[in-house]
Amino acid sequence: MTLTEPAASRTVPHPPFDRQLDGPLREILRTLPTPLTPDLIPARREVARLNRLSDDDIRRGGAFTVTERTVPGPAGAPDISLLICRPTASPGPHPVIYNTHGGGMVGGHNRTTELAGELSRAEALGMAVVAVEYRLAPEHPDPAPVEDCYAGLLWTAEHAAELSLDPERIVVSGNSAGGGLAAAMALLARDRGGPRLLGQMLQCPMLDDTCDTPSAYQMERVGLWDRVSNMTGWDALLGDRRGTDAVSRYAAPARAADLRGLAPAFIDVGSVESLRDEAVTYATRIWQQGGEAELHVWSGAFHSFDEWVPDAIVSRSAQAARVDWLRRLLLP
């Protein structure tokens, strides 16, 4: 019996949680229904709706100007919204963090609380942030979400000059589902001859629709985003195609056979989360094909730990590592 089989993996205990994360996680789980199942999607969306960042939150005391633009979506699809946050300390052109929000493909918006992390990095480095609002599954299954994100990326690059943005220095970035969408946009930009991206920042990314890694089974019913939750998100996005050969690499980037010629990647993940092994495998395959990737596996960390417990030492370490990677990327 192999470790990837459910019965074997359930006999292996999960790694211990970081001591500063364990207690807060228990408190979070007391109030947040888990795992995510289809019937809980409306409730998750309502939580996200109630926790929107306001313009004042985003301005950060005048550090950013905030503009919301409605721009063309994919051909034959509705327009999409871009939240454009530009630094006020310098005239630009500014390098850009192009953010795709998380939410398991079924929830979230471009003012979600995780945007605060992107704004902190941007403020430290004089970068702009552009956050896209994409259509959500299951009402809008694949390829709607990724095509919306890519359409917004194209518009941002094409209109960079009028926005005082630098089209040669765009980093796609996202957390969880947003990390998977950022990886997919890097593939699309390469394959379609799109914008030449400066980098891709994949934070605990959803990459593999099979949900069949050792960590997926090891962390079943463990933490905030376990195998059951992950399957709920992928099923909403892909329906009956999940786990079959009909799934595109742009829907599930782990499916991509060719990872050559991609923008440099930053990939991080917790050691105590379902998505751990697919993140490690993706980074490994980039290296094996001659690409550039920086991988961090944060010991004792659960999914999106630094958003939920930002003052823990491991959270501060993760936040600093992302800023440092971007700073190196921006070197002339």
Side-chain angles (χ1 to χ4, degrees), residues 62-79:
F64 293 96
T65 62
V66 182
T67 308
E68 198 143 10
R69 293 283 295 268
T70 299
V71 307
D79 291 345

Side-chain angles (χ1 to χ4, degrees), residues 215-265:
S215 62
Y217 292 112
Q218 188 182 27
M219 261 62 77
E220 192 158 20
R221 306 282 177 165
V222 174
L224 292 183
W225 189 256
D226 72 339
R227 182 171 181 263
V228 175
S229 301
N230 204 32
M231 288 193 296
T232 296
W234 283 115
D235 284 342
L237 183 71
L238 300 171
D240 292 340
R241 289 185 292 139
R242 187 184 71 80
T244 74
D245 292 340
V247 175
S248 160
R249 61 184 176 274
Y250 308 126
R255 300 267 184 170
D258 183 0
L259 297 178
R260 295 170 296 177
L262 294 174

Side-chain angles (χ1 to χ4, degrees), residues 67-69 71 80-84 98 110 130-132 152 155-156:
T67 308
E68 198 143 10
R69 293 283 295 268
V71 307
I80 56 176
S81 172
L82 294 179
L83 185 68
I84 303 166
Y98 183 84
N110 63 359
V130 177
V132 61
W155 187 93
T156 300

Side-chain angles (χ1 to χ4, degrees), residues 27-331:
E27 290 300 316
I28 294 164
L29 291 174
R30 286 194 181 100
T31 59
L32 184 70
T34 57
L36 179 66
T37 52
D39 59 300
L40 290 177
I41 290 174
R44 288 290 180 93
R45 289 179 177 177
E46 179 63 12
V47 170
R49 187 189 69 81
L50 294 173
N51 289 282
R52 296 174 66 88
L53 296 184
S54 68
D55 282 357
D56 284 343
D57 294 329
I58 296 166
R59 290 190 188 102
R60 297 192 158 210
F64 293 96
T65 62
V66 182
T67 308
E68 198 143 10
R69 293 283 295 268
T70 299
V71 307
D79 291 345
I80 56 176
S81 172
L82 294 179
L83 185 68
I84 303 166
C85 316
R86 288 173 289 180
T88 58
S90 62
H94 306 287
V96 180
I97 296 173
Y98 183 84
N99 173 255
T100 46
H101 67 78
M105 302 292 183
V106 299
H109 44 73
N110 63 359
R111 289 173 176 264
T112 188
T113 53
E114 70 197 52
L115 184 64
E118 305 282 35
L119 291 167
S120 293
R121 290 183 277 279
E123 187 173 3
L125 299 171
M127 302 180 74
V129 176
V130 177
V132 61
E133 183 103 356
Y134 57 86
R135 288 170 290 170
L136 300 174
E139 296 89 344
H140 304 285
D142 175 67
V146 70
E147 292 293 350
D148 283 357
C149 294
Y150 189 68
L153 175 65
L154 289 179
W155 187 93
T156 300
E158 291 166 359
H159 293 79
E162 70 187 67
L163 298 169
S164 298
L165 306 178
D166 187 345
E168 301 299 320
R169 294 193 294 169
I170 299 175
V171 178
V172 292
S173 178
N175 172 284
S176 192
L181 289 164
M185 283 190 293
L187 291 165
L188 281 168
R190 179 199 65 182
D191 296 347
R192 295 181 181 176
R196 187 174 179 83
L197 299 175
L198 186 65
Q200 51 177 323
M201 180 173 281
L202 317 180
Q203 304 158 50
C204 52
M206 283 176 66
L207 300 167
D208 185 355
D209 66 293
T210 67
C211 307
D212 197 33
T213 63
S215 62
Y217 292 112
Q218 188 182 27
M219 261 62 77
E220 192 158 20
R221 306 282 177 165
V222 174
L224 292 183
W225 189 256
D226 72 339
R227 182 171 181 263
V228 175
S229 301
N230 204 32
M231 288 193 296
T232 296
W234 283 115
D235 284 342
L237 183 71
L238 300 171
D240 292 340
R241 289 185 292 139
R242 187 184 71 80
T244 74
D245 292 340
V247 175
S248 160
R249 61 184 176 274
Y250 308 126
R255 300 267 184 170
D258 183 0
L259 297 178
R260 295 170 296 177
L262 294 174
F266 177 100
I267 303 172
D268 70 347
V269 71
S271 68
V272 200
E273 68 163 297
S274 175
L275 307 181
R276 181 194 66 207
D277 292 348
E278 62 199 69
V280 171
T281 298
Y282 200 69
T284 301
R285 292 180 55 231
I286 290 174
W287 296 325
Q288 289 171 343
Q289 296 185 33
E292 184 178 345
E294 178 168 322
L295 172 68
H296 294 263
V297 180
W298 300 107
S299 181
F302 58 85
H303 189 70
S304 300
F305 62 100
D306 61 298
E307 180 186 349
W308 289 94
V309 194
D311 292 329
I313 294 172
V314 67
S315 300
R316 295 200 302 267
S317 296
Q319 293 156 5
R322 294 174 196 143
V323 171
D324 286 345
W325 179 79
L326 287 169
R327 183 176 285 115
R328 300 200 321 268
L329 206 63
L330 292 169
L331 286 172

